[in-house]
Amino acid sequence: MAHLTIYRETTPDSTIVSNLFIDEYMRDANDAQLKVYFYLLRMMSARQATSVTDIADKFNHTEKDVLRALKYWQGLKLLDLDYDTEKNLVGIHIHDLSAANVSDAAPASRKPSSFVPAPAAAPSASPRPSEALAEDSAPGEKASPYSKPSYSADQLKAFRDRENTAQLLFIAESYIGRPLTPPEMKTILYFIDVLHFSDDLIDYLLQYCVDKGKKDFKYIEKVAVNWAEEGITTPAQAQKQACRYDKNVYAVMNALGKSSSPTKKEVEYINRWIKEYGFTADVILEACERTVLATDKHRFEYAEGILNSWKRQDVHHKSDISRIDDAYRQRQKPVAAVPKAANRFNQFAQNSYDFEALEQELVSN
């Protein structure tokens, strides 16, 4: 009897998680770390590519949150991070969670400890009205220098009465598209009072987040804290840091043979191609490839010329480019010469004469 082929009507829509991971690693990981690891398993199972930016957008985290989670799992030897020569993350190698591979890396089991009630806290003096109350931190942890205070109504009123506050709040409301709530105004105060952001940096922060489709102030606050931890104090520094994790900018720079950080003008070109022209990545990379083959200088300007021409010719997909190329080749074809009728005068090789030169020669004689 012939062998039978057994198959499903559809591909199983599931992701396998190792029991060892559930038993040994889940309990110590925080929310962001678990989301990142499970999502990596999901994408690996589906054989789909992803990026730090994609993961951050997926879970409303910042790129730095994602990188922290990746380094956490790397520290436990559950995965390896691959970098290129410019220290850019280019690959993630997830390890097989078999006992042989993780026996050395698995966290040590904790022995159950007896419950010891904490001593009663001594009553503390009420804080002065002029002081902001920092958010509670876990016992034994050092308070972060960027902890967000709990501002009082009087402090918020004093902030709103400042000379430049009205203009700053107007800018913020313009980006968000609605009036700010009191908690959101307190967040703006936090940017100035604790993070020491300038008005220009707050302006760029709001623009950056809104451009990414993020108007939630919790997300905006996460980005601001990450910038503060990175020592960012100017919009130029923030732009440079943001470009490191922007997969579109990184891909275009690589395609044009650029290894340095993009300049402001180069970022403007890339944003124009994506946002104003509406081109997909494959169309932009095709223009970059043609640019590299054509010139060694002024490559952004050359690519701009190609993409601007494609936009005027209604290119929307990479397949549209073939239509334009075919039309161009048709225009460049030489017109076939009409053959002359054969007779006894033109059966021989014809000579071409420079009649003006002959005339000059005759005159001189």
Side-chain angles (χ1 to χ4, degrees):
M1 184 174 292
H3 291 287
L4 301 177
T5 301
I6 303 173
Y7 60 92
R8 291 178 182 266
E9 184 176 352
T10 59
T11 303
D13 186 18
S14 60
T15 299
I16 298 175
V17 180
S18 167
N19 288 334
L20 183 61
F21 178 85
I22 297 172
D23 294 340
E24 300 292 341
Y25 294 93
M26 274 187 63
R27 62 185 176 186
D28 295 322
N30 63 29
D31 176 70
Q33 292 159 353
L34 290 174
K35 285 181 179 178
V36 168
Y37 186 79
F38 288 147
Y39 190 67
L40 291 177
L41 293 180
R42 164 76 176 88
M43 300 305 286
M44 181 180 68
S45 176
R47 298 182 181 275
Q48 295 180 12
T50 189
S51 68
V52 171
T53 303
D54 288 342
I55 300 173
D57 290 343
K58 178 76 174 178
F59 299 110
N60 206 28
H61 291 314
T62 64
E63 287 90 347
K64 192 162 186 181
D65 291 334
V66 176
L67 289 172
R68 282 200 193 100
L70 292 174
K71 290 178 181 177
Y72 172 80
W73 295 121
Q74 183 185 35
L76 291 177
K77 300 182 181 179
L78 268 66
L79 54 81
D80 286 328
L81 302 179
D82 301 328
Y83 297 90
D84 62 13
T85 55
E86 300 296 324
K87 305 298 183 182
N88 295 305
L89 181 62
V90 294
I92 300 174
H93 173 209
I94 298 180
H95 293 172
D96 178 19
L97 287 188
S98 63
N101 288 339
V102 298
S103 58
D104 295 333
S109 301
R110 301 185 210 160
K111 295 180 181 179
S113 56
S114 303
F115 172 73
V116 180
S124 57
S126 300
R128 290 174 294 175
S130 60
E131 293 179 345
L133 300 177
E135 294 178 347
D136 295 336
S137 56
E141 289 186 3
K142 186 178 179 181
S144 168
Y146 304 115
S147 296
K148 185 179 180 181
S150 300
Y151 294 106
S152 66
D154 290 338
Q155 289 172 317
L156 179 58
K157 183 180 183 301
F159 170 61
R160 296 181 65 177
D161 291 340
R162 292 181 189 175
E163 183 178 352
N164 296 329
T165 298
Q167 181 179 358
L168 184 58
L169 294 180
F170 174 78
I171 292 172
E173 290 173 348
S174 299
Y175 282 122
I176 302 301
R178 56 170 174 77
L180 299 183
T181 64
E184 290 169 345
M185 293 182 191
K186 290 178 181 179
T187 301
I188 300 290
L189 171 57
Y190 163 67
F191 295 159
I192 298 172
D193 183 44
V194 176
L195 303 186
H196 307 295
F197 280 13
S198 66
D199 289 358
D200 288 342
L201 186 54
I202 295 174
D203 186 331
Y204 182 78
L205 168 68
L206 295 169
Q207 178 187 348
Y208 169 77
C209 293
V210 170
D211 284 348
K212 290 172 66 68
K214 307 292 186 181
K215 295 185 178 181
D216 180 6
F217 262 75
K218 289 183 179 179
Y219 178 86
I220 296 172
E221 184 179 323
K222 282 185 177 181
V223 175
V225 172
N226 285 339
W227 287 3
E229 291 174 344
E230 293 283 347
I232 291 172
T233 58
T234 66
Q237 292 173 334
Q239 184 182 52
K240 184 176 180 180
Q241 193 265 3
C243 288
R244 290 175 54 197
Y245 303 116
D246 190 321
K247 61 178 182 180
N248 293 318
V249 173
Y250 179 72
V252 171
M253 293 296 289
N254 271 352
L256 290 177
K258 302 276 188 176
S259 58
S260 59
S261 297
T263 64
K264 181 179 179 180
K265 187 67 176 177
E266 290 170 343
V267 172
E268 288 176 1
Y269 275 123
I270 298 170
N271 287 335
R272 182 187 308 146
W273 300 338
I274 297 170
K275 297 177 182 178
E276 182 181 335
Y277 294 175
F279 285 134
T280 55
D282 57 344
V283 172
I284 296 173
L285 294 180
E286 175 67 22
C288 292
E289 182 178 340
R290 297 185 181 204
T291 297
V292 170
L293 293 174
T295 182
D296 291 329
K297 298 179 180 179
H298 309 295
R299 286 181 171 175
F300 270 93
E301 291 80 358
Y302 195 95
E304 163 66 17
I306 294 175
L307 291 167
N308 186 277
S309 173
W310 287 352
K311 181 178 184 297
R312 286 187 275 106
Q313 297 178 77
D314 294 326
V315 169
H316 299 286
H317 306 285
K318 192 173 180 181
S319 57
D320 296 332
I321 301 173
S322 300
R323 165 178 55 83
I324 294 175
D325 289 344
D326 291 341
Y328 177 78
R329 281 191 288 268
Q330 288 295 328
R331 291 196 302 269
Q332 298 301 312
K333 276 187 176 181
V335 179
V338 178
K340 296 180 181 179
N343 57 48
R344 60 186 182 135
F345 296 105
N346 58 30
Q347 288 178 349
F348 302 98
Q350 304 296 309
N351 294 322
S352 59
Y353 297 98
D354 187 343
F355 291 98
E356 291 185 1
L358 289 171
E359 184 179 359
Q360 290 295 327
E361 185 177 350
L362 291 172
V363 170
S364 61
N365 293 335

